[in-house]
């Protein structure tokens, strides 16, 4: 079965602290994984995808096929990073299978 | 470029009433998706179109939900009759992974 699990509903950190948002997936083929972000009152937007292997807004994510994980990391959190983060798995048809999301709260 | 447009942005109806949502994808995008996002959950695919043909509607509750994409451009999603559990945000997306609309927030009383 295709499934994405984000174990934390809420992650609260202080400004400047490291952040790691966890994502585990279940997929029988070769996965395509994404992180989406939704800031308050804004639409869902793509943050990064594993095939790009790039850093966006200081965030990175590495696909670990052995652990079936795609955790999102940032070394120093900023207050403007406060948002809802969704991990998603791309199926062959193009549809996305989303996790339940993690709210990141960065305190001053 | 203009983004994915959706209307209305908010809708409140009573159970057993009907409702329709509209989506205008980005010009030239052949693939269009409708997702349902219930509060506290991630979006879940309802239906996927490629041009005006259905690719995947396995999660669409066909007894009450219907969708069409005439001429392969705009799309409408209809619920008839609505139930309390249909309260959610309905998201339209075109040619993923980048482009989502702002969503329509439906409240069924």
């Amino acid at each position: 079965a295709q499934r994405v699990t984000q174990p934390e509903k809420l992650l609260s950190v202080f400004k400047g602290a490291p952040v790691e948002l966890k994502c585990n997936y279940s997929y029988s083929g070769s996965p395509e994984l994404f992180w989406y972000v939704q800031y308050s009152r804004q639409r869902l937007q793509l943050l990064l995808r594993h095939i790009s292997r790039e850093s966006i807004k200081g965030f990175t994510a590495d696909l670990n096929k052995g652990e079936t994980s795609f955790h999102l990391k940032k070394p120093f959190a900023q207050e403007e990073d406060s948002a809802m983060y969704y991990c998603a798995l791309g199926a062959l048809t193009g549809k996305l299978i989303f996790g339940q999301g993690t709210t990141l709260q960065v305190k001053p | 470029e203009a983004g994915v447009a959706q209307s209305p942005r908010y809708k409140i109806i009573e159970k057993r009433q009907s409702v329709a949502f509209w989506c205008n994808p980005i010009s030239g995008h052949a693939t269009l998706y409708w997702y349902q996002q219930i509060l506290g959950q991630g979006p879940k695919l309802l239906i996927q179109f490629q041009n005006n043909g259905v690719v995947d509607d396995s999660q669409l509750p066909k007894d009450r939900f219907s969708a069409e994409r005439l001429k392969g451009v705009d799309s409408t999603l209809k619920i008839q009759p609505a139930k309390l559990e249909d309260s959610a945000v309905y998201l339209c997306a075109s040619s993923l992974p980048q482009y989502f609309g702002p969503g329509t927030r439906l409240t069924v009383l």
Side-chain angles (χ1 to χ4, degrees), chain B residues 12-86:
Chain B
I12 301 173
I13 61 173
E14 296 192 349
K15 60 183 180 184
R16 290 187 291 273
Q17 285 187 320
S18 301
V19 65
F21 313 127
W22 173 81
C23 172
N24 180 230
I26 292 170
S27 178
H29 283 194
T31 312
L32 185 148
Y33 307 80
W34 282 102
Y35 285 82
Q36 181 193 55
Q37 185 173 18
I38 293 172
L39 186 64
Q41 300 181 20
K44 182 187 77 173
L45 183 74
L46 290 174
I47 189 166
Q48 176 184 347
F49 290 96
Q50 180 73 20
N51 296 308
N52 59 351
V54 175
V55 173
D56 184 348
D57 64 356
S58 57
Q59 302 272 48
L60 188 74
K62 298 179 186 63
D63 57 334
R64 297 183 301 106
F65 285 65
S66 64
E68 60 182 10
R69 191 183 183 199
L70 300 175
K71 301 179 182 178
V73 182
D74 294 4
S75 177
T76 55
L77 176 69
K78 296 178 182 177
I79 308 175
Q80 181 180 14
K83 293 185 175 181
L84 296 177
E85 58 262 34
D86 298 332

Side-chain angles (χ1 to χ4, degrees), chain A residues 39-93:
Chain A
Y39 301 103
S40 180
R41 297 187 186 88
Q42 294 187 26
R43 64 183 69 189
L44 198 59
Q45 56 186 281
L46 178 67
L47 180 61
L48 52 79
R49 56 195 303 183
H50 88 272
I51 60 172
S52 300
R53 300 187 65 80
E54 57 188 344
S55 174
I56 304 292
K57 299 184 180 183
F59 285 97
T60 59
D62 290 317
L63 178 61
N64 185 324
K65 291 185 179 180
E67 295 184 358
T68 60
S69 69
F70 188 57
H71 302 327
L72 184 68
K73 299 176 184 179
K74 184 169 183 176
F76 308 104
Q78 303 299 315
E79 289 182 66
E80 55 265 31
D81 296 329
S82 294
M84 189 73 167
Y85 291 81
Y86 293 96
C87 181
L89 173 66
L92 283 176
T93 57

